[in-house]
Each structure stands twice: as C-alpha cells, then as structure tokens.
C-alpha cells in the first residue's frame, strides 16, 4: 500500500468515492477527525480467525445466548449475532510523508473478507470479518453493508444499534455523523438512515422521534437542550429496560428538520485538539430514533390467535403498531496519553473515555466467553448499551483502523475488540402492540357514518310519510269537494221541489178563495177590522212603558253624574277626614250601577215583548194589509234603535270621565289611596292608576308623582292576588318607556317581578309579570343586569303555567333579549373587533324550551321563538350548542316553511354564513 501513487489517490478522492476527510477548523462539527502522531511499529497478539458474516455460528461455549429472563427474550425471539465490519482509513498527508519508507501495517483482502496485520516484513496475522471495507469504499457502500440491514429491522419493529469503535482519528465521526452539505455523497450513516426511514413510512399514520445525547465524564447530557446536563438512567425492575425519561424528544416530519437537529447537537458536543486529531471527540454520542409504524394487512394473522367469532368484531380488529428503536453510537476514540499529548482537563477526559471503553471491552469479553457475570454496571456506557450487546437489539459494529505502522498496537487492540464482539449473540424480539386509539377513532368515524345514514333514512321515511299524508289530504279534499257538489245539487233539487209544492198550494188556495169569494171575503174583512184596534192598543201601551223606562234611565244617569261631582268635591278637603265620605260615595256609585243594570235588563225584556207583539200583529193582518202595517212597525223599530244608541253612548261616556279623573282630583291623592287600609279602596285606586298608565301621556306624570315606587311597594308588601295582578300590569305599561325601564331596574323591580312570578299561580297575573319582564328584555343596556338579577330564570319559570297568553309573553321576552344580544355582539365586533361570548340565554338553559316551542301551534308564540332562534344562530360561538341541542333542524325548517319572508330569509342567511352549520349540513347531506 505504501507504493500507491499520490496522483491516483487524490484523483479518486475528488470523485467522492474514497474516505478521505477534509481539513476543518476547530469547532466545526460537520467535518471528520484528522490524524496526527508518530510512533514505532508495535507488535500485536496472534488472534484466531472468526466465522464469516453470512454463516450462522454453531452453538458452542464460545457463543453467549440470552437467558430466558433476559430483556426481550420470549417465545417469538430469534437469534441474531453482532455483525462486525472493519474500515481502513486512507493515509493522510502527514503519514504519507512520515511513513514513506515503511510499509502499511494492514493488508486488506475484501473479496475474501480478510484482513492481514503485519508483524514484520515476513510474518502477519489474518482475521476474518463480516465485511472488509478498503480506504476506497464510498459512504454509500459503508451504509449499505453496515447500517441498512439494521434500519430495515427497525422498520419491521426490532431494536437496532449501529456503533463505531476505534482509535482516535480513524474516522468514526466521519463514518457516522457526516452531514454532506458540500458533497452529498459524503453523507454519513445517521443522515442516510433517516432518509431510508422517511422513504418507507407513511406521514399520515407513522411517527419518528429523535433524541441526541452525549456521555461526557460519566454524565449524560442533552445535546438538543444543553441546560439539561445531568440525565439519570431509569431501569425497569421487571423487564430490565433502560430508559432516559429526562431526555428531549423531538418529533420530526422531514429530512431537513433532522439535519438541523444534527447541526444543533454537533455544535454542543465536546471536542478538543490533540496531537492525534485536530478535533478529537471527548464524549460518546448517542442518536436515538424511535419509529412508530402502523402495520396494514396483519389483521388476519391475529384473528386466529384470538379466536374472534363475531362478524361485527372481525370488521373492527385493532391495527398493529410496531415500535422500533435505532441507536447510532459514535464512541470517543481510545488514546494513549504519550501519543495524544493530553494534559490538565483533557487528561481527565482521556481517562474517563478510556475507563468507559475498558468497561465496554470487559462486557464484550464476558459475553463472548459466556461468563455468568457481565459487569454492566461498571459504567454508564455499558448500561446504555445493555440492549445492544446480549439484549434484544440487532447490532452492527464498524471498527475503524489506520494504516500507519506507528499505531500498530492500537490497531491490533481494535481488531481484537471486533473479533470478540462477533461472538456475542443477541435474541431479537419484535415489538408490536394493538393500536386501540386508532381503532377507537375508526369506530367513531363509522358511528358518525351510521348516524348520518340513519338520519338520512329517517329523513327519507319522514318525507315518505309526508308525501303519503299529502296524497291522503288531496284525496280527502277531492272527496269533500265531490260530496259538497253532490249536496249542493241535492239541495237545489229539494229547493225546486219545495218551490213547486208552494206554488201548487198557492194555486189551490187561490182556487178556494175564488170559490168562496162572496162569503169568505166579508167575514175575513170584519175579523181583521175587529182585531186591529186591540193590537194597536197593546203596542201603544208598550211604547209608553218603554218611554217611561228610558226617562228613568236618563234620570239615573243624571243622578250618577251628580254623585260623581260630589265625590270629586269631597276629595278636595284633607285626605284624613274624607275617607269615610269617599267610601260612602263609592257605595252609592255601586248601588246606582246595579240599579242601572237592572233597568237595562228590564229594557231588554220590554224590547223582546215589543218584538213578539209586532210579530203577532203582522201575522193577524191579511195579505193586502201587510205593507201598511209593516210601515208603522218600521217607524217603531227606528225609535227603539235610536233609544238604544243613546243608551250605549251614555254608557261609553264613563271612560273619559275616569281617564280625566286625575285632572279633577289630583294624581297625588289617587296615589295616596294605594296605601289605604281598606282593601276595596286600594283595589279601586290601583285600577285607576293602571288605566292611567295605559296611556303614554300619563306615564311621565305617574313616575314623577312616585307612582312607580308605589306600584313596586304593592308587589313587595301585599299578597292579594288581585292587587299584585293589577300592579304588575301597571308596571308592564310603564316598562314600555326606555327611561322607565332603567328606573324599574334601579329600584329592584326585576327582583320583585321574579318573586311575584315564583309565588303566583293565576295565569293572568303571570301574563302581566311576563309582559313586564318582556318589555325590560328589549333594552340593550340592561342585558347583563337583567340576567344577573334572575330575569331570564323568572321568565323561563313562568312556562309552568302552560297558558297560551303567558307563553306568548315569555316568547316575546326571549325574542327581545336575543335580538338585543345579537345587536350588541355585532356592534362590539364592528367597533372593537372583539367576539362576543356565549349567549346568556343558552347559559341560563333557555335553549331546550326554544327548540321545543319553535313549531308551536300558536302562531304568535311560534313567530317569537323562530325570531329568537335566528338571532341566536347569527353568532358562531353559539353554533355548537345549537347543533347539540337540536336547533339545527328547526333552523332548516324555518328556512323552508316559515310564513314570514323576513324570518325565513334570516334563517337561510344564518345557515349559509356559519362555517359550523355549513360543515354539519354537508355532513348530514342537507341542502338549504
């Protein structure tokens, strides 16, 4: 080899197929180690030949097998010997100059997989390895024969280890960790391994995680997180597995991110300049790659093992997950102190490196000799490599040597290490398990598909039922129309028969009249003349009685008016002395009202008698005299109608007098009667106030006079159902004004209304309270306070009444609240760009009632609820609650069947603008 021409050597290196590391500066982790040093040509021991790589070693005492209790041993474990390859580094420039007069100490025979180590010029020792790689072997060739079988095993679910061992400066880091930035053909085993892994996994189902560590001075440090500089080793007492829970684990998705991690790790690795190497690694580096793969097509293999009999279960067997771990170990080079020139701290580093490598050699010797005790715990290095030698890992070892005869002793030691490592046999065990999470996800997807299919079939069934119903209704309508036409024809036929019969009877009657004209006409005439005076007298008498009753009624109305004037005059003195007079006047008013009702009843009776007499008189007259007597009764009816009209006008005139009562008596005096001890006076007073509050012109005066406070006091103090009902109605009238709404809230009105709603059972009282709360719900400023003081809860609590009027007011209140909430959310987003939170109505549990009554039979309730539902759906934050609460179906129905165009258009716009609704409708295959 010493006779190799320089030009040929460098030409081959430029092509990129030779292992010749370039010169690098200190601190550059991407370049390889350089080699320095001068020494004599030491003699090495004569070692025996080992078996070839491909042949299986026969069982013997020299081969150590894992015991049944060893990690990874099991029924499905297979034997796998450690594969060892030797790689020769080419001479560097210094060696070419210094060793020009000496022959290389190593001679390679790659075709025979042999290596000869020269003792002297006439004698040499021969060794066999699994692979012999010359100095001309490319990085690709090294990877394919050393690491690729291990990577393939890792992808199949086994653990694998690739390790480089040798003297410092012989090219271990170049072989394993070369990044190949400038020349891609120079990429090392680490980079090429990950390229193979990424090309054989699925990015969707498989994952790859990486940890990068170094063992420096018997301390495990994280190269990806330098702050984590003392990682402890944890060993499972049952299985013996060794793990590093404190190490940084990074999931990578592509090759580029992995290369960046390698750069970060190499930058943090310890290195120093020695006589043998300008940048000698001072720590052992460990690259740990975890590969988690989903195995397809293996379900049938497990069916027979578990004896699954159910067809349903066979369709959903859990997929298989294989977990393989690849460990790439770049050992620090062994060195002799007098050759490396290490001193000070570097000397301590060299001692630590040599001690750990010595401990590793002892473990290899014990395993090769099948010793009962393996000193694994002598060093952290041997503990970390416990699975790689004598464990369950498929291990490939590449030993690197140099050609210089000055380092023959180190070369011989390295060869001896490789020879003994070839005798170590591991028990390989695949690591796979069921992926129940993936199975759960598949089952969830299948459930969703079946649910959607069920909903589709249910919808199709409903559509079919609806179609049959429409056809039945159509047939019923046609039958009813046919029946109506038949009845109409039958009726016309009966009428024609009836008219024909009448005509025949009249002809017979005229014939009889003609026959008896001489006698019958005279008798009938006298009878008629004799009967008419009697009938006219009775009618005249009834008219007189009717006129008397009308006059009495007018007199009673006049007396009532006088009494009212007296009542107004009596209220002007002091209130304390006038209560008794007022009470008496009220009694007199009631008596006069009762007498007035009696008179009206008598007038009705007289009118009835008059109509009966008129009918009898018309029947007693003859046919020629009917028109004459009829004209007289028409005049009587006209007079009666006129009297009745006057009576009605008089009765209606009472309301204007009551509405103007506060102008005559004084509003303050009326409000003072609300505190009267007499229940009747209190009831009448609150009725007056409620009537006044119904008119917008009086509301401001009532509030200024303290009427609102008095009404709220009635709600707070009295348990009388009538008073509370009327007071709640008056508050509801006042709550129609925005200024009054704020006053009601400020005086605790919502709490009083809520308390009244919880105690009341009368539907009319609940209707008044619900109306008041509904008016308050329409104020944008009171939303949060209304909800915090129990307004929404009180509104929802009143649905227990089930009375249509109460439910209508509740629905109106919810619609007002939802509308204001929607408007506030839209303004907040437009002005500040902030999204409104979840609806207060949904948080208070109003959604189930809204969904239940969205299709209520009462049109007024349905219209309010539909409007509230559309406003709630306008904001994306409520979409998931609406879908889970079943409101999506109602929104679809509203968008199709609502009678009001504006609500139907709002529902359509909401469904098509919300991404959540659009996705759910697409999943359910519903078109809007």
């Amino acid at each position: 080899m010493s006779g190799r021409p320089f030009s040929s050597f460098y030409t081959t290196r430029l092509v990129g197929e030779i292992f010749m590391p370039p010169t690098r500066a200190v601190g550059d982790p991407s370049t390889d180690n350089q080699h320095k040093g001068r020494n004599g040509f030491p003699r090495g021991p004569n070692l025996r030949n080992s078996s070839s790589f491909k042949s299986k070693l026969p069982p013997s005492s020299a081969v150590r097998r894992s015991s049944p209790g060893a990690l990874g041993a099991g029924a499905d474990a297979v034997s796998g010997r450690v594969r060892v390859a030797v790689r020769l580094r080419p001479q560097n420039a210094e060696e070419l100059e210094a060793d020009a007069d000496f022959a290389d100490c190593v001679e390679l025979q790659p075709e025979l997989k042999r290596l000869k180590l020269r003792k002297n010029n006439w004698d040499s020792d021969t060794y066999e390895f699994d692979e012999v790689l010359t100095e001309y072997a490319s990085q690709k060739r090294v990877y394919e024969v050393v690491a690729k079988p291990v990577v393939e095993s890792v992808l199949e679910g086994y653990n694998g280890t690739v390790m480089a061992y040798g003297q410092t400066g012989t090219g271990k880091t170049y072989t394993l960790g070369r990044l190949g930035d400038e020349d891609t053909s120079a990429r090392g085993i680490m980079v090429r391994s990950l390229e193979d892994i990424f090309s054989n996994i699925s990015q969707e189902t498989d994952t790859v995680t990486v940890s990068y560590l170094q063992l420096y001075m018997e301390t495990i440090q994280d190269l990806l997180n330098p702050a984590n500089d003392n990682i402890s080793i944890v060993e499972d007492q049952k299985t013996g597995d060794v793990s590093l829970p404190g190490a940084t684990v990074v999931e990578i998705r592509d090759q580029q991110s992995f290369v960046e991690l390698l750069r970060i790790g190499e930058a943090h690795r310890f290195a120093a300049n020695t006589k043998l190497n300008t940048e000698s690694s001072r720590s052992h580096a460990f690259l740990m790659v975890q590969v988690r793969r989903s195995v397809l097509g293996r379900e049938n293999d497990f069916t027979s093992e578990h004896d699954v009999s159910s067809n349903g279960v066979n369709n959903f067997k859990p997929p298989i997950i294989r977990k393989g771990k690849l460990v790439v170990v770049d050992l620090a080079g062994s060195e002799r102190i007098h050759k490396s020139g290490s001193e000070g701290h570097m000397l301590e580093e060299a001692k630590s490196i040599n001690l750990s490598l010595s401990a590793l050699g002892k473990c290899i010797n014990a395993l090769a000799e099948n010793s009962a005790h393996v000193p694994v715990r002598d060093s952290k290095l041997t503990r970390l490599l416990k699975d790689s030698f004598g464990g369950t890992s498929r291990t490939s070892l590449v030993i690197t040597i140099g050609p210089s005869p000055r380092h023959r002793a180190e070369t011989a030691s390295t060869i001896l290490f490789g020879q003994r490592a070839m005798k170590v046999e591991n028990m390989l065990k695949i690591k796979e398990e069921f992926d129940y999470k993936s199975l759960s996800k598949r089952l969830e997807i299948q459930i969703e598909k079946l649910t959607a299919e069920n909903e589709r079939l249910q919808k199709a069934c409903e559509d079919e039922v609806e179609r049959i119903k429409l056809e039945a209704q159509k047939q019923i309508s046609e039958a009813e129309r046919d029946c109506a036409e038949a009845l109409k024809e039958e009726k016309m036929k009966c009428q024609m028969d009836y008219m024909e019969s009448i005509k025949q009877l009249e002809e017979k009657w005229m014939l009889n009249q003609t026959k008896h004209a001489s006698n019958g006409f005279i008798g009938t005439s006298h009878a008629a003349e004799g009967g008419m005076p009697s009938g006219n007298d009775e009618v005249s008498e009834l008219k007189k009685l009717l006129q008397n009753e009308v006059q009495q009624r007018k007199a009673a109305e006049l007396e009532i008016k006088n009494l009212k004037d007296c009542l107004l005059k009596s209220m002007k003195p002091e209130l304390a002395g006038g209560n008794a007079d007022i009470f008496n006047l009220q009694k007199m008013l009631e008596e006069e009202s009762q007498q007035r009702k009696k008179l009206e009843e008598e007038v009705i009776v007289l009118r009835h008698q008059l109509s009966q007499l008129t009918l009898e008189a018309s029947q007693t007259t003859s046919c020629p005299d009917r028109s004459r007597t009829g004209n007289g009764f028409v005049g009587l009816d006209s007079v009666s109608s006129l009297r009745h009209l006057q009576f009605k006008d008089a009765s209606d005139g009472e309301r204007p007098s009551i509405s103007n009562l506060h102008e005559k008596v004084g509003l303050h005096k009326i409000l003072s009667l609300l505190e009267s001890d007499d229940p009747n006076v209190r009831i009448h007073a609150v009725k007056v106030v409620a009537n006044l509050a119904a008119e917008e012109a009086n509301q401001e005066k009532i509030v200024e006079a303290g009427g609102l406070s008095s009404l709220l006091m009635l709600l707070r103090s009295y348990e009388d159902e009538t008073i509370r009902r009327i007071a709640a109605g008056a508050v509801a009238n006042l709550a129609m004004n925005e200024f009054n709404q704020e006053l009601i809230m400020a005086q605790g009105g919502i709490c009083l209304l809520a308390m009244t709603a919880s105690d009341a059972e009368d539907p009319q009282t609940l209707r008044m309270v619900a109306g008041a709360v509904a008016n308050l719900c329409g104020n944008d400023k009171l939303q949060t306070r209304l909800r915090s003081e129990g307004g929404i809860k009180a509104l929802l609590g009143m649905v227990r009444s089930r009375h249509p009027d109460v439910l209508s007011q509740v629905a109106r209140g919810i619609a007002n609240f939802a509308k204001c909430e929607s408007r506030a959310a839209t303004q907040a987003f437009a002005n500040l760009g902030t999204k409104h939170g979840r609806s207060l109505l949904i948080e208070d549990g109003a959604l189930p009632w809204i969904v239940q009554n969205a299709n209520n039979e009462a049109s007024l309730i349905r219209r309010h609820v539909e409007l509230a539902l559309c406003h709630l759906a306008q904001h994306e934050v409520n979409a998931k609650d609406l879908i889970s609460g079943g409101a999506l179906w109602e929104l679809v129905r509203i968008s199709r069947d609502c009678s009001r165009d504006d609500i139907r258009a709002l529902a359509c716009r909401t469904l098509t603008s919300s991404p959540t609704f659009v996705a759910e409708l697409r999943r359910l295959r519903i078109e809007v």
Side-chain angles (χ1 to χ4, degrees):
M1 295 178 66
S2 60
R4 180 173 61 246
F6 286 11
S7 59
S8 174
F9 170 73
Y10 283 108
T11 302
T12 308
R13 187 180 62 162
L14 290 175
V15 176
E17 296 297 326
I18 182 172
F19 171 54
M20 184 62 190
T23 306
R24 66 176 177 184
V26 177
D28 182 7
S30 64
T31 57
D32 187 43
N33 303 328
Q34 299 297 319
H35 318 284
K36 292 185 178 180
R38 300 177 181 271
N39 252 331
F41 191 83
R43 297 176 60 87
N46 189 8
L47 303 178
R48 312 306 300 172
N49 296 342
S50 66
S51 62
S52 65
F53 177 79
K54 295 184 179 179
S55 62
K56 294 185 178 178
L57 287 177
S60 65
S61 61
V63 178
R64 173 181 174 85
R65 297 182 182 273
S66 298
S67 61
L71 176 64
D76 56 349
V78 295
S79 176
R81 182 175 57 80
V82 175
R83 293 171 52 119
V84 180
V86 60
R87 186 180 192 185
L88 178 64
R89 171 182 60 78
Q91 288 180 316
N92 55 27
E94 181 181 353
E95 290 173 344
L96 288 173
E97 180 180 355
D99 299 336
D101 299 331
F102 301 93
D104 292 344
C105 66
V106 177
E107 180 182 350
L108 303 181
Q109 296 177 341
E111 65 279 357
L112 300 177
K113 298 183 179 179
R114 291 178 181 176
L115 177 148
K116 287 185 177 182
L117 181 63
R118 299 179 185 274
K119 293 181 179 180
N120 46 48
N121 291 333
W122 58 87
D123 191 13
S124 63
D125 293 327
T126 303
Y127 303 93
E128 290 185 0
F129 289 94
D130 295 310
E131 289 291 341
V132 174
L133 303 169
T134 67
E135 66 270 33
Y136 300 105
S138 66
Q139 290 282 71
K140 180 179 180 182
R141 169 67 177 164
V142 174
Y143 169 74
E144 289 178 349
V145 300
V146 175
K148 190 167 185 177
V150 178
V151 174
E152 292 174 349
S153 298
V154 170
L155 291 172
E156 293 176 359
Y158 295 95
N159 288 346
T161 302
V162 178
M163 187 170 69
Y165 179 90
Q167 182 189 7
T168 180
T170 55
K172 298 182 296 301
T173 303
Y174 181 89
T175 301
L176 297 181
R178 185 74 170 178
L179 298 181
D181 292 333
E182 299 177 356
D183 184 4
T184 57
S185 63
R187 289 168 296 163
I189 289 177
M190 290 183 181
V191 178
R192 294 178 184 270
S193 298
L194 265 294
E195 287 178 353
D196 264 5
I197 290 174
F198 280 121
S199 64
N200 287 279
I201 65 172
S202 171
Q203 294 290 343
E204 298 178 355
T205 59
D206 305 339
T207 59
V208 178
T209 58
V210 173
S211 298
Y212 201 11
L213 311 169
Q214 69 175 354
L215 178 61
Y216 176 72
M217 301 284 289
E218 285 301 304
T219 302
I220 301 176
Q221 301 177 358
D222 197 335
L223 291 175
L224 302 180
N225 182 14
N228 192 7
D229 58 358
N230 191 9
I231 301 174
S232 58
I233 301 175
V234 177
E235 185 172 352
D236 194 327
Q237 298 297 330
K238 295 181 179 179
T239 63
D241 287 339
V242 174
S243 61
L244 302 170
T248 301
V249 179
V250 180
E251 180 177 352
I252 55 176
R253 308 298 296 179
D254 52 45
Q255 184 71 12
Q256 184 63 33
S257 59
F258 171 69
V259 174
E260 293 299 326
L261 288 180
L262 286 183
R263 285 198 181 94
I264 294 173
E266 289 295 332
H268 296 143
R269 190 176 176 187
F270 288 100
N273 186 5
T274 66
K275 292 180 179 180
L276 297 178
N277 192 352
T278 57
E279 190 171 347
S280 175
S281 300
R282 315 307 290 171
S283 64
H284 307 299
F286 293 81
L287 176 68
M288 298 181 179
V289 182
Q290 297 278 355
V291 181
R292 185 177 185 273
R293 297 188 67 197
S294 297
V295 182
L296 303 178
R298 285 293 308 277
E299 286 82 356
N300 295 331
D301 298 341
F302 289 87
T303 302
S304 58
E305 295 177 10
H306 297 276
D307 193 19
V308 181
S309 59
S310 172
N311 292 331
V313 177
N314 281 333
N315 294 332
F316 298 104
K317 290 181 289 295
I320 306 302
I321 293 298
R322 287 180 176 173
K323 297 181 178 179
K325 180 172 72 172
L326 173 64
V327 180
V328 182
V329 184
D330 181 13
L331 295 175
S334 60
E335 62 182 61
R336 296 194 178 186
I337 306 303
H338 66 276
K339 291 185 178 182
S340 64
S342 299
E343 58 184 10
H345 184 67
M346 290 176 57
L347 179 60
E348 297 300 324
E349 293 175 341
K351 290 180 180 179
S352 177
I353 292 171
N354 289 337
L355 284 175
S356 60
L357 293 177
S358 176
L360 178 60
K362 292 179 181 179
C363 291
I364 297 296
N365 291 340
L367 291 169
E369 295 171 0
N370 203 16
S371 174
H373 172 68
V374 179
V376 176
R377 294 187 174 273
D378 288 356
S379 172
K380 288 186 178 181
L381 175 63
T382 55
R383 293 183 66 187
L384 290 174
L385 296 177
K386 179 181 179 181
D387 190 53
S388 302
F389 294 96
T392 64
S393 175
R394 184 183 295 277
T395 303
S396 283
L397 172 65
V398 55
I399 59 174
T400 58
I401 58 176
S404 176
R406 292 175 297 157
H407 306 300
R408 184 185 182 284
E410 288 83 352
T411 302
S413 176
T414 302
I415 293 173
L416 178 61
F417 180 87
Q419 289 287 296
R420 290 181 176 175
M422 289 177 66
K423 297 180 181 180
V424 178
E425 187 171 353
N426 296 341
M427 300 301 293
L428 309 184
K429 183 178 180 181
I430 192 170
K431 294 186 178 181
E432 55 186 13
E433 60 187 23
F434 292 115
D435 188 6
Y436 291 103
K437 292 183 178 179
S438 177
L439 175 62
S440 174
K441 186 177 295 185
R442 285 170 52 193
L443 291 176
E444 289 178 357
I445 295 173
Q446 188 67 15
I447 289 172
E448 291 179 357
K449 290 181 179 178
L450 293 176
T451 302
E453 181 66 17
N454 183 37
E455 292 175 352
R456 186 186 66 78
L457 293 176
Q458 185 177 358
K459 184 66 169 59
C461 181
E462 292 176 355
D463 293 341
E464 183 66 18
V465 171
E466 186 68 20
R467 185 185 63 80
I468 295 173
K469 182 179 178 181
L470 292 175
E471 290 181 356
Q473 290 179 352
K474 183 178 179 181
Q475 293 176 359
I476 292 172
S477 299
E478 292 176 355
E480 289 179 349
R481 184 168 61 253
D482 295 340
C483 183
E485 292 177 356
L487 288 175
K488 185 176 181 181
E489 293 177 357
E490 188 66 23
K491 184 178 179 181
M492 291 296 296
K493 183 178 178 182
C494 292
Q495 288 180 353
M496 294 298 295
D497 294 341
Y498 174 75
M499 293 300 295
E500 186 67 23
S501 300
I502 293 296
K503 185 177 180 180
Q504 292 176 1
L505 290 174
E506 288 181 351
E507 290 177 353
K508 290 181 180 179
W509 183 76
M510 292 297 296
L511 183 60
N512 291 332
Q513 290 292 330
T514 305
K515 290 181 179 179
H516 304 286
S518 57
N519 297 325
F521 180 78
I522 297 172
T524 304
S525 177
H526 285 293
E529 290 175 359
M532 282 301 296
S534 175
N536 291 333
D537 292 341
E538 291 180 0
V539 171
S540 300
E541 185 177 354
L542 286 173
K543 286 183 178 180
K544 290 179 180 180
L545 290 174
L546 182 59
Q547 291 177 356
N548 292 334
E549 291 297 334
V550 171
Q551 291 176 358
Q552 290 179 5
R553 173 186 166 190
K554 289 183 177 180
E557 289 177 354
L558 183 61
E559 187 174 357
I560 289 172
K561 185 176 180 182
N562 293 331
L563 288 174
K564 286 183 179 179
D565 294 338
C566 294
L567 175 62
L568 293 174
K569 292 179 180 179
S570 63
M571 291 180 66
K572 291 182 179 180
E574 294 182 359
L575 184 63
N579 286 339
D581 294 337
I582 292 172
F583 181 68
N584 294 331
L585 289 173
Q586 287 178 348
K587 284 187 175 181
M588 293 174 65
L589 284 172
E590 291 178 357
E591 292 175 357
E592 291 295 333
S593 298
Q594 293 176 359
Q595 185 178 1
R596 174 184 167 188
K597 289 181 180 179
K598 291 180 180 179
L599 291 174
E600 290 177 353
E601 292 174 357
E602 292 178 0
V603 170
I604 292 173
V605 171
L606 290 174
R607 286 181 180 277
H608 181 65
Q609 292 178 357
L610 178 60
S611 62
Q612 291 290 336
L613 290 174
T614 303
L615 180 60
E616 292 175 358
S618 63
Q619 291 177 353
T620 55
T621 57
S622 60
C623 294
D625 298 333
R626 287 180 184 174
S627 61
R628 179 179 55 83
T629 56
N631 293 334
F633 286 115
V634 169
L636 181 60
D637 290 339
S638 300
V639 174
S640 175
S641 300
L642 181 61
R643 297 296 184 183
H644 178 67
L645 182 61
Q646 292 175 355
F647 171 73
K648 182 177 181 181
D649 293 340
S651 63
D652 292 339
E654 185 176 359
R655 176 169 293 276
S657 62
I658 294 175
S659 62
N660 297 327
L661 186 63
H662 71 283
E663 297 178 358
K664 299 178 180 179
V665 178
L667 186 58
H668 289 282
K669 291 185 178 179
I670 297 175
L671 294 176
S672 64
L673 295 178
L674 297 176
E675 301 177 0
S676 175
D677 295 333
D678 192 336
N680 294 326
V681 175
R682 202 161 50 240
I683 290 174
H684 284 290
V686 74
K687 284 182 178 180
V688 172
V689 175
N691 289 330
L692 293 174
E695 298 180 6
E696 186 177 358
N698 300 328
Q699 291 179 359
E700 183 177 358
K701 298 177 181 178
I702 293 174
V703 173
E704 290 178 354
L708 177 60
S709 301
S710 300
L711 293 172
L712 295 177
M713 179 270 295
L714 293 178
L715 292 177
R716 182 185 297 109
S717 305
Y718 293 97
E719 298 181 356
D720 184 85
E721 190 73 22
T722 304
I723 292 179
R724 297 173 74 177
R725 179 175 67 252
I726 301 172
V731 173
N733 290 335
L734 294 176
M736 297 174 66
N737 181 276
E738 183 177 356
F739 177 75
N740 296 341
Q741 292 171 357
E742 297 180 0
L743 290 178
I744 292 172
M745 293 296 295
Q747 298 183 21
I750 190 63
C751 295
L752 295 175
L753 291 171
M755 179 179 64
T756 305
S758 62
D759 297 339
E761 296 295 337
D762 179 39
Q764 297 304 320
T765 303
L766 293 175
R767 181 175 68 87
M768 297 296 182
V769 175
V773 177
N775 290 337
L776 295 174
C777 288
N779 194 320
D780 295 343
K781 303 176 183 178
L782 308 178
Q783 296 278 298
T784 305
R785 186 173 179 183
L786 183 69
R787 184 249 184 162
S788 62
E789 295 184 7
I792 303 300
K793 293 288 186 182
L795 201 63
L796 294 175
M798 284 183 278
V799 302
R800 68 181 186 276
S801 171
R802 299 179 182 274
H803 195 277
D805 293 340
V806 179
L807 296 181
S808 176
Q809 294 299 327
V810 171
R812 183 173 69 89
I814 291 177
N816 288 343
F817 195 93
K819 184 177 181 181
C820 292
E821 199 174 41
S822 175
R823 186 163 54 237
T826 304
Q827 291 177 355
F829 183 77
N831 297 333
L832 304 178
T834 58
K835 293 185 178 180
H836 202 267
R838 190 162 167 250
S839 172
L840 300 179
L841 289 173
I842 296 178
E843 291 184 357
D844 278 0
L847 184 58
W849 186 86
I850 293 174
V851 174
Q852 182 181 357
N853 290 270
N855 198 14
N856 196 289
E857 295 180 356
S859 60
L860 189 59
I861 299 175
R862 184 173 64 253
R863 177 169 59 84
H864 287 311
V865 174
E866 288 176 346
L867 189 60
L869 196 58
C870 290
H871 284 302
L872 288 176
Q874 280 187 306
H875 299 284
E876 188 70 14
V877 71
N878 301 326
K880 292 184 178 179
D881 292 313
L882 294 175
I883 292 173
S884 61
L888 180 59
W889 299 106
E890 295 300 332
L891 286 171
V892 173
R893 181 193 60 78
I894 294 170
S895 67
R896 295 176 178 175
D897 304 334
C898 183
S899 58
R900 286 187 49 173
D901 295 339
D902 55 342
I903 299 179
R904 187 168 63 253
L906 180 61
C908 291
R909 186 168 63 254
T910 302
L911 288 174
T912 54
S913 62
S914 170
T916 304
F917 287 147
V918 171
E920 184 67 13
L921 291 173
R922 187 183 298 112
R923 186 182 71 84
L924 298 175
R925 297 184 177 89
I926 298 175
E927 296 183 358
V928 179

